[in-house]
Amino acid sequence: MESSISSIIATSPFSSGLPLAELLAQLGPATLRPVVQPEPTERETAPPVQGVAFLDADAVAQQSAGQLLLLTSHAMLPDDRVEELCDAAAASRASGIVARTVPADAPLAVSCARRGIPLFELHPQVDWRQFDALVSRLLGEHGSGLQLGPTSGDKLFSLANSIAGVFRGSVAIEDHRRNILAYSAMPDQAIDDLRANGILYRRVPDKSINEVRYRQMFAAQGVARFARSDTEAPRAAIAIRAGSIPLGSIWAIDPDGEDLSLPLSPAKQEVLEQGALLAADYLVDAWRFDHGDTRSREAALRRALHGAPQENDPTVLGFRPTQQVILAALLPSGARSSDAELGEIRAGAARHLSVYFPGSVCVALDGAVVALVPSGSPEEVGRSFARLLPELRRLTGAECRVGLDEPRRFRRSLAGRHERARLVAECARERGLEIATTREVQAQLVLHECGAALRGARLSTEDADALLEPDAADARTTLLAWLEEQGSAPRVAARLNLHEQTVRYRVRQAVARYGLDLDDADRMLALWVQLRTSATDRRG
């Protein structure tokens, strides 16, 4: 009998997955215990994890390359059936098998070891649904903050209000990156400046005392309590966990908590503990279901950007044909960013845009992050990115430039538009701007097109060819500045940090050596365009 695999996660044709070692590191040893480890050489050639799938022993076999296979009842299977399952997993290049309670001498462990299949034992406190949701989230978000759908968000807000009704103080429910997912809005609830600022920006403000408090809260087995500090009111907090994995936390201002020597009332203790259990279910469901929708929209945007949309992609993306959209490109400065760094930038941009421009979708593509934003106003989108960039610097250390394409009606195919937005971002970098629209860098765009046309047609003048040689760097730099400063030696000298006499000497030498006629306007225009576009290419 052949094995089969019922896939949970549909992977995008553009997805590269996550290396098994990186996935294990992010899940931590409290989630999976290695039973059979691959050899170093096999680990290097192992396919990245693309998703999670259940092994169904009674159905027809399906492709399982790059899947973590969940075997829920291996102890009930006869030895020959275990051998068949492992044969199928090895043949299809599965990323590994996950099971419960696997002794080292169990038939499954022996069979996996013989075939070099990684085998892991799932922690007893983590159920299959939670494990599915956690892996799904790590594959798509690489550890970023959670994006809640409307249903999960409404439940968390209701839960926050319920807890606040018992505490008579403001309550915030946060994810593991201290983003505020929901907060209470009860009449006459106690609140302080720290909580008010957190609600305003939907994130806990950075304060040194918070680092200590969060460590203490996650180390506690139940409710942790904190005394008044400066202008901050007393608080009670509890970690939200799926098994042993921290998902977030609940923080309640406790106006009756001035004296920590007095125990927390049973009602407050119970509402926090019950709230943490309910919140864990809501967050896991949000990761499991909303995350799948996010991945579908990202895959649809990738297809549109590559000019290969599917019939239902406009429906998946949720944009109408008459709707105005803006394509934005976030281009990190410096050397090419790693996939993990781009993932952090993409996640930060997605969180931000989902608040200010609901329906936005972001993907990492060709060393940049591309966002499709439902808006007809580049000014509004630009102001929103101006608020985002400092946050990205703080979270990722990345200096990004943003290029905004002109607003246009949504079309199924967006081929070529992200290249234009990326070019606008590159022009912004040339001009020293953080954010630019096409209108703000129109002159630079024209020059880029001129350079592309000249290179495509292989057109150049002899004097330009000579000045572009490596040994003509000083003459080239001086002449370019001379032409751009309208022949003003003082301005060229200040620009290049040279003496005026040195500038004039270099110009005379260049005129004599290359046969230049500075009074021939057409020739000087052609020379300047070639030198200018060449300088842009070297900077890029």
Side-chain angles (χ1 to χ4, degrees):
M1 188 189 305
E2 291 183 328
S3 68
S4 90
I5 297 151
S6 174
S7 291
I8 297 173
I9 304 170
T11 57
S12 161
F14 298 101
S15 172
S16 59
L18 195 63
L20 179 60
E22 185 174 342
L23 180 65
L24 295 175
Q26 295 202 39
L27 287 171
T31 305
L32 291 180
R33 180 183 71 84
V35 179
V36 175
Q37 290 271 37
E39 296 295 329
T41 54
E42 295 173 341
R43 195 178 303 141
E44 292 175 1
T45 59
V49 180
Q50 299 277 355
V52 176
F54 278 111
L55 271 171
D56 183 350
D58 298 320
V60 180
Q62 296 179 6
Q63 179 56 247
S64 59
Q67 301 287 305
L68 267 182
L69 306 180
L70 310 184
L71 186 54
T72 59
S73 58
H74 69 95
M76 306 295 293
L77 297 175
D79 292 355
D80 60 342
R81 185 69 191 117
V82 171
E83 293 286 323
E84 291 177 1
L85 291 173
C86 290
D87 280 339
S92 61
R93 287 179 56 79
S95 294
I97 295 177
V98 180
R100 295 269 196 204
T101 316
V102 189
D105 59 350
L108 178 62
V110 174
S111 184
C112 285
R114 191 159 51 240
R115 293 166 178 80
I117 302 172
L119 175 63
F120 305 96
E121 183 179 83
L122 185 64
H123 193 281
Q125 292 184 341
V126 181
D127 64 36
W128 294 111
R129 181 174 66 96
Q130 291 171 340
F131 180 71
D132 164 25
L134 291 167
V135 173
S136 298
R137 183 186 152 277
L138 289 175
L139 286 174
E141 295 290 347
H142 288 211
S144 65
L146 175 64
Q147 301 296 311
L148 288 176
T151 303
S152 299
D154 290 344
K155 291 177 180 177
L156 288 179
F157 276 96
S158 297
L159 178 60
N161 281 333
S162 298
I163 298 172
V166 175
F167 272 85
R168 296 184 299 108
S170 176
V171 172
I173 301 176
E174 306 167 7
D175 69 8
H176 67 299
R177 295 184 69 104
R178 306 181 194 175
N179 298 304
I180 294 180
L181 303 175
Y183 52 88
S184 62
M186 299 293 287
D188 300 324
Q189 65 179 9
I191 193 168
D192 56 21
D193 289 341
L194 180 68
R195 175 59 47 77
N197 287 331
I199 291 172
L200 179 62
Y201 295 103
R202 298 303 289 269
R203 181 173 174 80
V204 178
D206 288 326
K207 298 187 71 173
S208 57
I209 192 173
N210 282 344
E211 302 300 325
V212 177
R213 287 180 168 182
Y214 276 91
R215 283 197 297 270
Q216 293 174 345
M217 182 269 299
F218 279 116
Q221 294 303 311
V223 177
R225 299 175 67 196
F226 303 95
R228 177 180 294 278
S229 173
D230 298 330
T231 58
E232 298 170 20
R235 280 164 163 73
I238 190 169
I240 303 170
R241 291 186 173 92
S244 60
I245 303 168
L247 308 179
S249 55
I250 302 176
W251 292 77
I253 289 179
D254 185 8
D256 303 322
E258 297 287 352
D259 187 354
L260 296 187
S261 64
L262 298 176
L264 195 65
S265 73
K268 292 179 178 178
Q269 184 89 19
E270 181 180 4
V271 76
L272 271 182
E273 291 173 348
Q274 291 296 320
L277 293 175
L278 289 171
D281 284 340
Y282 296 156
L283 296 188
V284 166
D285 286 340
W287 282 347
R288 186 180 183 190
F289 298 111
D290 295 339
H291 172 67
D293 177 67
T294 298
R295 292 186 64 169
S296 298
R297 299 184 75 228
E298 290 174 2
L301 177 57
R302 287 179 181 274
R303 289 190 291 267
L305 294 173
H306 284 87
Q310 296 180 357
E311 188 65 31
N312 67 331
D313 279 352
T315 302
V316 173
L317 287 169
F319 294 120
R320 304 180 306 277
T322 57
Q323 190 168 4
Q324 293 275 311
V325 295
I326 292 175
L327 208 66
L330 288 88
L331 187 64
S333 299
R336 185 180 178 88
S337 299
S338 67
D339 290 342
E341 290 168 337
L342 282 177
E344 286 294 314
I345 296 171
R346 187 209 62 79
R351 282 196 302 270
H352 178 87
L353 292 173
S354 68
V355 174
Y356 296 99
F357 298 94
S360 299
V361 57
C362 301
V363 295
L365 186 66
D366 298 333
V369 172
V370 180
L372 186 62
V373 184
S375 174
S377 172
E379 293 76 17
E380 287 185 10
V381 176
R383 286 193 294 270
S384 185
F385 274 108
R387 294 190 294 269
L388 169 65
L389 292 183
E391 180 72 2
L392 288 180
R393 279 194 294 271
R394 187 183 65 81
L395 290 175
T396 69
E399 293 283 347
C400 294
R401 308 292 181 175
V402 179
L404 303 177
D405 195 9
E406 288 296 315
R408 303 179 193 178
R409 289 185 178 181
F410 174 74
R411 293 289 183 268
R412 289 178 60 227
S413 175
L414 301 172
R417 286 194 59 184
H418 73 284
E419 287 94 341
R420 173 51 64 92
R422 183 191 179 104
L423 183 55
V424 173
E426 291 174 352
C427 292
R429 182 167 58 194
E430 291 171 17
R431 290 193 53 193
L433 302 174
E434 282 195 329
I435 304 164
T437 64
T438 54
R439 293 182 181 181
E440 290 171 327
V441 293
Q442 199 71 52
Q444 285 72 31
L445 292 175
V446 170
L447 284 172
H448 274 278
E449 293 298 327
C450 288
L454 289 171
R455 289 188 295 274
R458 296 185 178 179
L459 283 175
S460 63
T461 59
E462 291 183 4
D463 49 11
D465 288 341
L467 283 163
L468 291 174
E469 291 294 328
D471 61 354
D474 288 345
R476 179 174 62 245
T477 303
T478 305
L479 271 176
L480 181 58
W482 180 271
L483 294 171
E484 291 181 345
E485 299 295 346
Q486 294 87 46
S488 171
R491 290 203 299 269
V492 174
R495 173 171 163 175
L496 300 181
N497 195 25
L498 296 173
H499 193 279
E500 290 181 31
Q501 288 301 106
T502 304
V503 171
R504 294 188 177 93
Y505 173 76
R506 285 187 181 181
V507 172
R508 287 196 302 270
Q509 289 289 100
V511 168
R513 180 177 180 181
Y514 303 109
L516 303 178
D517 183 358
L518 298 181
D519 295 324
D520 187 334
D522 289 346
R523 189 175 175 185
M524 288 303 100
L525 174 61
L527 176 62
W528 175 79
V529 168
Q530 293 170 89
L531 296 182
R532 180 67 175 81
T533 56
S534 173
T536 299
D537 291 341
R538 287 195 300 275
R539 285 197 295 268

